[in-house]
Amino acid sequence: MKRVLTLALLLAGAALAGSGGAAMPGMDHSGHSMAAMPMSMQAMGEQMVKELTPLKGRAFDVRFAQRMADHHQAAIDMAKKEVAGGQDARVKAAAQKVIAAQQKEITLMTGWIRSWTGQAYTPKSMSMQMPDTGSVDRWFLTEMIPHHQGAVAMAKLVPTRTENAQVRNLATAIIKAQQAEITQYTAWLKVVK
């Protein structure tokens, strides 16, 4: 069964970057809310990388912080579902670690955005669609692997697109932490029911 994350896509202004301001199909721009569209974790990561790829300098820094904050919020949302419904103590502990680490990074990135733009940024929560049957633990691990791969792919863009040492340091930390979690989650999928 293909697991799908229902992603409430980006704010109208953010989603329209690179589209010349033209309306994008399937999006409700009233009140800056977006229509929910089903999107896999892999597709979400690919879309964010595509959006970031042409940017450099401060434009990249701002969009990277916004997209990574949104991406982290999705991980937190999934981790909260694991904490609430998971059965495996190791996986639940890993989910709690995700919540703490990624909330700290969201706070850091939204602080940067405020200092760079003069505007507050609130990461978007995403509606999660979990399977009706099966293990919450396996759902969390299975979805978090491609989710983390997306974050790593975004972070790997940083060295060639920014000169900001703080952004570079965060990207390095994201790559290290999330690659380690991908390895751990992959191993757990072999034994978690």
Side-chain angles (χ1 to χ4, degrees):
M1 173 176 167
K2 184 176 180 182
R3 292 176 175 87
V4 176
L5 166 75
T6 302
L7 172 64
L9 287 177
L10 319 167
L11 285 175
L16 294 176
S19 70
M24 296 176 72
M27 295 188 176
D28 170 16
H29 300 288
S30 63
H32 290 142
S33 64
M34 306 304 267
M37 297 176 67
M39 183 175 286
S40 71
M41 288 293 151
Q42 180 179 351
M44 180 176 72
E46 289 170 357
Q47 177 182 340
M48 290 183 170
V49 167
K50 184 178 179 181
E51 181 182 351
L52 291 169
T53 297
L55 303 175
K56 288 193 180 241
R58 183 51 51 93
F60 174 84
D61 295 342
V62 171
R63 188 69 75 219
F64 173 79
Q66 290 170 335
R67 291 307 141 252
M68 191 62 79
D70 292 342
H71 203 265
H72 278 16
Q73 186 61 54
I76 290 170
D77 294 344
M78 287 193 303
K80 286 180 178 177
K81 291 192 178 293
E82 167 58 29
V83 169
Q87 300 298 314
D88 189 288
R90 297 167 299 185
V91 180
K92 287 178 83 158
Q96 289 169 330
K97 181 180 170 188
V98 165
I99 293 167
Q102 297 202 10
Q103 185 57 61
K104 183 178 176 182
E105 290 177 359
I106 286 172
T107 300
L108 176 67
M109 289 183 286
T110 56
W112 289 346
I113 294 165
R114 181 181 290 275
S115 73
W116 295 334
T117 68
Q119 297 180 354
Y121 186 81
T122 303
K124 277 41 119 219
S125 287
M126 299 174 190
S127 176
M128 301 294 144
Q129 184 177 7
M130 292 175 45
D132 294 334
T133 60
S135 164
V136 173
D137 300 314
R138 289 191 64 77
W139 169 81
F140 175 75
L141 296 171
T142 300
E143 292 297 318
M144 285 301 290
I145 290 168
H147 187 268
H148 277 358
Q149 289 167 337
V152 168
M154 283 193 288
K156 285 182 176 180
L157 294 173
V158 169
T160 61
R161 288 171 175 79
T162 186
E163 295 184 18
N164 186 307
Q166 291 178 308
V167 175
R168 286 176 182 253
N169 290 341
L170 177 61
T172 299
I174 287 170
I175 292 167
K176 181 178 178 184
Q178 295 199 12
Q179 283 182 328
E181 289 175 1
I182 289 167
T183 300
Q184 182 62 76
Y185 297 169
T186 301
W188 283 344
L189 271 174
K190 295 175 184 173
V191 295
V192 170
K193 297 188 189 265

